[in-house]
Amino acid sequence: EVQLVESGGGLVQPEGSLRLSCATSGFNFNTYWMTWVRQAPGKGLEWVANINEDGSEQNYVDSVKGRFTISRDNAKNSVYLQMTSLRVEDTAVYFCARNEPWLEFWGQGTLVSVSS
Amino acid sequence: EIVLTQSPGTLSLSPGDRATLSCRANQSVSSSYLAWFQQKPGQAPRLLIYSASSRASGIPDRFRGSGSGTVTDFTLTISRLEPEDFAVYYCQQFLSSPWTFGQGTKVEIK
């Protein structure tokens, strides 16, 4: 069974940092691109970043470029999102998802709240 | 950036009704790179349709996606609404970065 479990969310002050993790199981992790998607409270879905199978290629939405870094550890079947210089507008539930390339499998999400 | 515009914003229908949801792109998108998702409150999105018209695993055949070739208009049709179908629906393109979602269509009980 394919499983994705996010962790690492929480309350952080503006300009702070947070590292999200997504632990996966049930599939050959190192053969799939992985993606982070976020959803602000009461709002729609926003694609944040993705990373290729060996971590050599990453793509980001403009609003997080230079502040967020997506990475992966294929030995640990995990993908990460390092978030720095956080802003109030980064407050959202962050989901990780497996690329098929369509996003068929999702985690349950982890909430990041940026507030003073 | 490919912008996806969904209409209507809200659809008020009764169980058993037919729902027709639209997704329009500001530039042509190959149908191979268009997906539809369903989301209920407090849950992760659920993939319904990929490649514009292929149903994901376990999705009932009352859900049908249309739009073929390289086009700007895509449609999700739910032939007969079941109580569990009342939710928010999103289209998404993964043709080019940044991947983008439409703003969503809420299907609510009339």
Side-chain angles (χ1 to χ4, degrees):
Chain A
E1 179 190 5
V2 174
Q3 290 194 326
L4 298 88
V5 179
E6 302 93 338
S7 60
L11 176 63
V12 61
Q13 292 187 335
E15 295 304 313
S17 298
L18 213 53
R19 187 196 195 209
L20 305 184
S21 300
C22 172
T24 75
S25 60
F27 64 98
N28 291 327
F29 180 74
N30 62 5
T31 63
Y32 288 91
W33 282 66
M34 296 296 295
T35 289
W36 286 97
V37 172
R38 67 183 178 183
Q39 186 169 38
K43 303 298 185 182
L45 301 169
E46 181 182 38
W47 175 83
V48 175
N50 64 11
I51 187 168
N52 71 341
E53 296 91 335
D54 66 4
S56 61
E57 181 178 346
Q58 308 93 32
N59 299 291
Y60 300 92
V61 67
D62 281 351
S63 60
V64 309
K65 281 181 182 175
R67 301 188 300 122
F68 290 12
T69 302
I70 187 171
S71 63
R72 64 192 294 158
D73 185 336
N74 285 346
K76 295 184 177 180
N77 295 329
S78 295
V79 61
Y80 308 99
L81 189 66
Q82 179 69 49
M83 304 184 294
T84 63
S85 301
L86 281 161
R87 304 168 180 168
V88 171
E89 55 266 34
D90 294 318
T91 293
V93 174
Y94 285 73
F95 298 97
C96 66
R98 190 182 90 174
N99 293 25
E100 307 291 333
W102 43 88
L103 303 177
E104 182 164 10
F105 293 98
W106 296 65
Q108 84 290 348
T110 187
L111 176 62
V112 172
S113 295
V114 184
S115 173
S116 54
Chain B
E1 174 176 325
I2 298 176
V3 176
L4 300 177
T5 302
Q6 293 186 238
S7 61
T10 301
L11 209 45
S12 298
L13 296 168
S14 301
D17 285 349
R18 178 186 186 91
T20 302
L21 289 67
S22 173
C23 175
R24 175 165 290 177
N26 67 340
Q27 57 187 275
S28 295
V29 176
S30 168
S31 59
S32 298
Y33 299 94
L34 194 287
W36 288 92
F37 297 87
Q38 176 195 69
Q39 189 181 33
K40 298 179 181 178
Q43 296 185 14
R46 174 193 183 195
L47 177 70
L48 298 175
I49 301 288
Y50 63 93
S51 299
S53 60
S54 297
R55 276 187 300 276
S57 177
I59 302 303
D61 60 7
R62 64 179 182 273
F63 291 91
R64 187 173 72 87
S66 60
S68 62
T70 302
V71 295
T72 60
D73 292 327
F74 299 90
T75 302
L76 175 69
T77 303
I78 311 171
S79 57
R80 298 170 311 280
L81 283 165
E82 297 288 342
E84 62 268 27
D85 299 336
F86 292 92
V88 180
Y89 293 82
Y90 296 93
C91 58
Q92 184 235 341
Q93 66 81 23
F94 45 97
L95 173 65
S96 64
S97 185
W99 291 4
T100 48
F101 290 87
Q103 82 281 16
T105 290
K106 181 179 182 180
V107 179
E108 65 176 22
I109 299 176
K110 186 174 182 180

